[in-house]
């Protein structure tokens, strides 16, 4: 224990025999800024020895950020059971209405400052909202949903980023609609946006925003309104009236006397350029508006054993580090941040020199309270590391990164992507061609990556999300020794990633597949829209000496399309274990990637004794007479044949009719970005569970070429939708016969439902104009072939085996291997599981 009511300069016992050391203690008589000034005065007086500022036990209020500069180098700020809080206490409460109290806080707030947080007894409360927060279902309850358009679709000239329609029951009336905000998961629900409202028309139910949202506003997007006094109707809700300076709060029931505070402090510590050897140790930091600690071009600094909680509004994180070098963040607990837990950035990508920042042994959880695109740790630049961290309970990624020579290793990541979809526990992208080459993802334990989708029936979870996610052409990553299981969609999703080594991993219990490779082609919008960026990125480092040893950097992106029409190349996917326990969940999924340019081999495949499903539905001869035939000769011209119809019609002028003895469909792209193209279906065909089917038909186009796709699908209104894999076809101006095959689910397979009694042929037309003609449609049952054999015949897994990997106890999450595991014979090496996660001090 140390004194709390006096200031003194202390020379430690060790310093008497070695070097002089300066120690200053903060007390009620001396504030932290004053203590820092004392150190600075001593430095001006010629004392250059290391200095320590000690904080007392208990709570110390801080009203201005502590800015540390070059003159403050060789300084430690530490404490034991010491808390800094950046939120002034609110007093002077008076009754308002019912349980709602009010207080004038105009003198507490900086000029022009609008509070976005309120703490009661140390915990954030809820900004007044509609619908109310649902404490029983905090993630998936308490939402309203954007109304659907009329059957005719979106009104002409609809402003997709500026307007939406609310349902009749969600029409609200506010005295100051211009103060109201909408918190909405726009478009596909990748993350949320908080946008100011202009008006809500009670008759048309059209809501108008003050400015464009970052993404389109779609029907079924989830949202809530916030920041209106009229919505303050539940315990824990609060509202600040900027017009009067009055704060309103319905205090929750509590045995403790409510201590209400408004976070106004921007940051606790700002460490600036030139500062060196700054240590912040053993402090609790709570209640600030921006990021709790920031480093900008600082060197050789340390934050350790701190607790950072309840900090940051929408853009506020726990700790942010940019540029400089050798900043280490170690053994901290960071929770309930407005945005990220930790951010590391810096480095020169041309020379591949980096700052060497490290985030290690931190416990990061419940980040992204306001910003649902937040992650546990974000890493950008060159030569930054996230190691041995425990990250969980976040709305989106565990680690998100972009750059080169970035290390993500020995982390334990779980219960992530809880509120968003199409994300991953570890994520990176590569639209610039050079990201994230030279990086390593190794020996991470990842599980329970959930995902949340928003559809017409409400929120759905688990939903479309992944474990490891090298996205958008990311390249050159070593993905070694990771254990990834219980993931909503796929443990590893390789979206046109290239030149990656994926070896010695365990991918298990994926909801759809255990791994996938989804490549681009020259005709896909991903390639065409990003090619210029890829060329610019490549040419920015081409010829640089530091890049000479990077894998396959001799290939220019303009030459990336291979001779087989694919782009995805250079991946080695070997010595892995792919494990499932549900019939029908696929071993893997390959799209637009070929074994000529990618290697998948020497792996273990096992689905607890169930047949290995690969999605390669090669079929044998037809079995019996056709189940359905149609040549359209008996249908009157200009009429739609019985049973045929649109799944989606881009506009009212698009037709599906018989013309010249064939079925003609008009091609167009509509304004709805979720459903832009012409899609139609055949009459129903009875399903025989597990049976394989073949469709043959003739097709031609009014245009020189036209892309279409064929698949078998099943649907029941209100129950669900399912489809087999699709077959891509190019129609030309001449008639040609084409075919597609598919297999129905077995009754014991994942995804099968009792309502699946019939299927139909689904045809997607991908063109913006023209007409496509179809004739002589024949659907027959066919002899199914073994999917694992078909997979190997396609060139994959030539030396891999189907065998039980012999985990010690996978049902209790123990994925260690027994000594007799067949994986060892294929070159698999034991993963050092005991080294994963936070290490002891």
């Amino acid at each position: 224990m140390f004194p709390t009511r006096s200031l003194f300069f202390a020379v430690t016992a060790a310093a008497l025999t070695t070097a002089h050391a300066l120690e200053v203690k903060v007390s009620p008589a001396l504030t932290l800024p004053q203590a820092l000034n004392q150190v600075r005065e001593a430095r001006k007086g010629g004392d250059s020895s290391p200095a320590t500022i000690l904080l007392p036990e208990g709570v110390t209020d801080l009203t201005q950020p502590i800015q540390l500069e070059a003159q403050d180098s060789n300084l430690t700020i530490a404490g034991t059971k010491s808390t800094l809080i950046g939120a002034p206490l609110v007093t002077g409460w008076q009754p308002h209405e019912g349980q709602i109290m009010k207080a004038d806080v105009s003198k507490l707030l900086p000029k022009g400052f609008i509070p976005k947080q309120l703490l009661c007894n140390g915990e954030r409360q809820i900004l007044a909202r509609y619908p109310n927060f649902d404490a029983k279902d905090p993630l998936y309850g308490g939402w309203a949903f954007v109304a659907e358009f009329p059957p005719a679709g979106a009104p002409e000239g609809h402003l997709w980023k500026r307007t939406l329609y609310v349902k009749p029951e969600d029409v609200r009336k506010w005295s100051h609609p211009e103060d109201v905000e909408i918190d909405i998961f726009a478009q596909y629900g990748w993350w949320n946006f908080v946008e100011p409202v202009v008006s809500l028309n009670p008759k048309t139910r059209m809501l108008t925003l003050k400015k464009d949202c970052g993404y389109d506003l779609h029907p079924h997007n989830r949202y809530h309104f916030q920041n209106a006094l009229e919505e303050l109707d539940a315990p824990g809700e609060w509202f600040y009236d900027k017009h009067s300076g009055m704060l309103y709060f319905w205090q929750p029931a509590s045995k403790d006397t409510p201590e209400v505070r408004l976070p106004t402090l921007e940051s606790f510590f700002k460490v600036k350029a030139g500062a060196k050897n700054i240590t912040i140790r053993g402090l609790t930091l709570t209640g600030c508006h921006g990021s709790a600690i920031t480093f900008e071009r600082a060197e050789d600094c340390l934050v350790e054993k701190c607790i950072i909680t309840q900090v940051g509004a929408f853009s506020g994180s726990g700790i942010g580090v940019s540029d400089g070098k050798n900043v280490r963040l170690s053994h901290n607990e960071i929770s309930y941040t407005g945005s990220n837990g930790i951010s590391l950035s810096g480095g020169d990508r041309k020379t591949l020199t980096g700052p060497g920042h490290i985030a290690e042994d931190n416990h990061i959880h419940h980040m992204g309270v306001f910003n649902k695109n937040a992650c546990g740790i974000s890493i950008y630049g060159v030569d930054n590391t996230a190691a041995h961290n425990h990250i969980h309970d976040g709305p989106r990624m565990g680690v998100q990164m972009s750059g080169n020579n970035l290390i993500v290793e020995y982390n334990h990541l779980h219960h992530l992507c809880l509120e968003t979809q199409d994300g991953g526990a570890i994520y990176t992208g590569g639209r610039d061609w050079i990201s994230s080459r030279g990086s390593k993802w190794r020996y991470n334990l990842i599980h329970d990556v959930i995902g949340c989708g928003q559809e017409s029936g409400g929120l759905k979870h688990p939903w479309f999300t992944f474990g490891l996610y090298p996205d958008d052409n990311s390249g050159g990553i070593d993905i070694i020794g990771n254990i990834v299981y219980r993931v909503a969609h796929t443990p590893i999703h390789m979206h046109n990633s290239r030149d990656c080594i994926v070896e010695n991993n365990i991918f298990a219990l994926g909801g759809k597949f255990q791994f996938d490779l989804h490549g681009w082609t020259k005709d896909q919008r991903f390639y065409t829209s990003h090619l210029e960026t890829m060329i610019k990125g490549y040419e920015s480092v081409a010829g640089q000496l530091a890049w000479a040893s990077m894998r396959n950097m001799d290939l220019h992106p303009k030459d990336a399309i291979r001779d087989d029409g694919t782009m995805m190349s250079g991946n080695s996917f070997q010595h892995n274990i792919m494990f499932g326990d549900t019939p029908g969940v696929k071993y893997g999924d390959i799209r637009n990637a070929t074994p000529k340019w990618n290697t998948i081999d020497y792996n273990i495949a096992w689905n607890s004794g169930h047949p290995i499903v690969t999605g390669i539905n090669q079929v044998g001869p037809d079995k019996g007479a056709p189940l359905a035939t149609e040549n359209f000769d008996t249908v009157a011209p200009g009429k739609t044949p019985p049973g045929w119809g649109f799944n989606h019609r881009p506009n009212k002028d698009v037709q599906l009719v018989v013309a010249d003895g064939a079925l003609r469909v008009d091609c167009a792209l509509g304004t709805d970005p979720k459903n832009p193209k012409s899609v139609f279906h055949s009459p129903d065909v009875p399903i025989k569970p597990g049976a394989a089917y073949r469709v043959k038909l003739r097709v031609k186009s009014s245009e020189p070429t036209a892309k279409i796709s064929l698949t078998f699908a099943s649907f029941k209104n209100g129950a669900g939708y399912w489809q087999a894999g699709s077959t891509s076809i190019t129609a030309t101006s001449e008639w040609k016969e084409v075919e597609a095959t598919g297999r129905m689910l077995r009754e014991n397979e994942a995804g099968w439902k009792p309502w699946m009694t019939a299927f139909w042929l689904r045809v997607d037309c991908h063109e913006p104009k023209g007409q496509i003609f179809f004739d002589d449609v024949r659907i027959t049952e066919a002899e199914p072939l073994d999917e694992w054999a078909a997979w190997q015949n396609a060139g994959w897994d030539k030396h891999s085996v189907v065998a039980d990997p012999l985990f010690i106890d996978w049902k209790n999450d123990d994925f260690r291997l027994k000594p007799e595991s067949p994986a060892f014979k294929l070159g698999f090496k034991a993963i050092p599981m005991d080294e994963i996660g936070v290490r002891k001090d």
Side-chain angles (χ1 to χ4, degrees), residues 25-42:
K25 294 186 177 181
V26 173
S27 74
L30 187 77
T31 66
L32 178 54
Q34 290 170 337
L36 179 59
N37 284 336
Q38 292 284 355
V39 173
R40 288 174 172 173
E41 289 299 319

Side-chain angles (χ1 to χ4, degrees), residues 119-423:
L119 302 179
C120 182
N121 294 333
E123 295 186 359
R124 279 198 193 92
Q125 303 301 295
I126 303 159
L127 183 58
R129 57 175 278 179
Y130 171 86
N132 285 341
F133 176 76
D134 185 352
K136 294 181 179 179
D137 191 7
L139 297 182
Y140 311 121
W143 295 102
F145 297 86
V146 176
E148 293 186 4
F149 294 119
E156 186 174 352
H158 179 71
L159 301 176
W160 285 91
K161 288 182 168 62
R162 186 68 67 96
T163 60
L164 60 84
Y165 292 88
V166 305
K167 296 179 180 180
E169 62 268 27
D170 297 323
V171 173
R172 315 299 294 169
K173 184 177 181 181
W174 307 298
S175 58
H176 289 285
E178 72 279 4
D179 294 343
V180 177
E181 299 169 333
I182 186 172
D183 188 341
I184 184 168
F185 284 77
Q187 199 150 321
Y188 305 118
W190 289 320
W191 55 79
N192 67 321
F193 297 83
V194 178
E195 300 289 356
V197 169
V198 169
S199 63
L200 173 56
N201 188 314
K203 293 183 179 180
T204 64
R205 296 184 281 108
M206 185 173 79
L207 179 84
T208 302
L209 303 183
K210 185 176 181 180
K211 59 184 180 66
D212 283 355
C213 184
Y215 286 125
D216 290 348
L217 307 167
H218 287 180
H220 316 305
N221 286 163
R222 69 191 187 272
Y223 72 90
H224 67 253
F225 295 121
Q226 64 184 30
N227 202 47
L229 181 59
E230 291 86 353
E231 308 301 355
L232 205 168
D233 59 359
E237 289 193 338
W238 65 277
F239 170 73
Y240 169 70
D241 186 348
K242 69 179 183 181
H243 305 284
S244 66
M246 198 67 68
L247 176 68
Y248 299 86
F249 182 38
W250 185 333
Q251 299 174 0
S254 174
K255 295 180 181 179
D256 301 322
T257 302
E259 181 186 82
V260 180
R261 292 177 176 267
L262 284 174
T264 59
L265 183 70
E266 181 186 357
S267 298
F268 292 96
F269 298 101
K270 291 185 171 185
V271 187
K272 295 294 188 177
K276 298 181 179 180
N277 297 309
I278 302 292
T279 297
I280 301 171
R281 178 186 296 120
L283 305 180
T284 295
L285 309 177
T286 186
C288 68
H289 184 70
S291 297
I293 303 174
T294 61
F295 293 87
E296 298 177 13
R297 291 182 290 160
E299 299 182 11
D300 302 316
C301 296
L302 171 66
V303 180
E304 68 173 354
K305 299 180 182 178
C306 289
I307 297 172
I308 300 174
T309 187
Q310 310 284 343
V311 297
F314 192 88
S315 300
S317 300
I319 307 175
V321 182
S322 60
D323 299 317
K325 66 179 182 181
N326 297 333
V327 175
R328 186 161 60 95
L329 315 175
S330 180
H331 287 96
N332 304 288
E333 181 176 0
I334 301 173
S335 64
Y336 298 98
T337 53
S339 187
N340 296 330
I342 288 173
S343 299
L344 304 177
S345 65
D348 185 336
R349 298 183 71 183
K350 286 189 175 182
T351 61
L352 293 179
T353 55
H357 300 319
I358 298 175
E360 62 180 5
D361 299 297
N362 300 288
H363 182 197
I364 304 170
H365 58 97
H366 296 91
M367 54 283 183
V369 172
F370 301 116
N371 182 351
K372 303 307 178 182
N373 194 27
C375 60
I377 301 177
S378 71
I379 313 178
Y380 290 87
V382 179
D383 186 30
N384 295 306
T385 298
H388 293 282
N389 300 286
H390 184 194
I391 303 173
H392 62 93
D393 286 275
R396 198 149 174 77
M397 322 296 188
V399 178
Q400 184 165 355
M401 54 173 273
S402 182
N404 302 102
N405 295 345
L406 304 173
I407 309 298
V408 183
E409 62 183 7
Y410 296 101
N411 300 285
H412 184 190
L413 314 172
H414 62 96
H415 290 90
L416 297 163
C417 297
L418 294 177
E419 301 176 67
T420 60
Q421 66 156 322
D422 195 10

Side-chain angles (χ1 to χ4, degrees), residues 442-684:
R442 56 194 180 193
Y443 308 122
N444 298 285
L445 174 63
I446 297 168
H447 59 92
D448 296 290
V449 188
I450 307 300
C452 177
Q454 32 189 37
E455 300 290 320
S456 58
L459 300 184
K460 297 182 178 180
H461 48 88
W463 197 247
F464 180 66
T465 199
F466 312 99
L468 302 173
Y469 195 169
D471 191 15
D472 276 0
N473 199 56
S474 52
I477 309 171
D478 291 354
I479 303 174
I480 310 293
N482 302 281
I483 307 160
V484 190
Y485 63 95
R486 276 200 308 271
V487 176
H489 202 275
T490 314
I492 180 169
H493 175 51
M494 303 181 70
H495 185 203
N496 203 60
S497 45
R498 54 191 304 105
D499 307 321
C500 292
I501 295 175
V502 185
E503 296 185 357
N504 215 81
N505 303 278
I506 297 172
F507 300 128
L509 306 178
K512 298 295 183 182
F513 319 103
Q514 308 312 335
F515 73 96
D516 64 49
L517 279 70
H518 290 180
W520 298 350
T521 66
K522 66 178 180 179
D523 298 320
Q524 286 183 324
R525 62 179 177 87
F526 298 111
Y527 173 74
T528 57
S529 62
H530 300 321
L531 179 58
E532 184 177 348
T533 302
M534 291 188 288
I535 291 174
K536 183 178 179 180
Y538 175 82
E539 293 182 348
S540 71
V541 300
Q544 294 288 329
L545 181 62
W547 283 80
S549 61
M550 283 286 190
R551 281 197 296 269
N552 296 339
M553 276 296 290
D554 56 339
L555 180 66
H556 197 291
K558 64 181 177 60
D559 302 319
I561 300 300
R562 300 297 191 175
D563 56 1
D564 56 13
T566 64
M567 181 180 174
M568 193 173 189
S569 67
N571 298 298
S572 173
F573 195 100
Q574 301 188 82
H575 310 295
N576 303 288
I577 298 172
M578 272 69 74
F579 174 82
D581 188 49
T582 305
V585 170
K586 292 180 182 178
Y587 166 73
D589 187 51
I590 308 291
R591 303 178 192 179
N592 298 321
T594 65
K596 181 176 181 179
W597 298 105
N598 301 274
T599 299
I600 300 178
D601 211 352
Y602 297 99
N603 301 298
I604 291 281
W606 187 246
N607 195 20
S608 294
H610 306 298
I612 299 296
V613 177
T614 65
I616 298 183
N617 294 308
Q618 294 180 352
V619 299
D622 291 347
K623 296 174 63 175
L627 302 174
T629 61
E630 180 63 80
N631 58 20
F632 307 107
D633 291 341
T634 62
V635 181
K639 298 295 183 181
T640 302
W644 295 80
F646 280 108
N647 297 71
H648 180 259
R649 190 180 184 189
N651 61 63
K652 59 182 177 60
D653 297 323
V654 169
Q655 293 184 318
L656 179 69
V657 296
V658 169
D660 300 325
L663 181 63
R664 186 196 75 200
V665 63
D666 299 321
C667 296
L669 296 179
T671 58
D672 184 347
K674 292 186 72 175
N675 295 294
K677 60 194 175 184
S678 297
V679 182
F680 67 94
H681 63 82
S682 74
D684 285 350

Side-chain angles (χ1 to χ4, degrees), residues 722-742:
W722 171 88
Q723 74 172 48
S726 63
T727 300
S728 297
I729 291 169
T730 300
T732 68
S733 56
E734 300 293 330
W735 283 107
K736 68 176 181 179
E737 186 172 77
V738 297
E739 74 171 57
T741 60

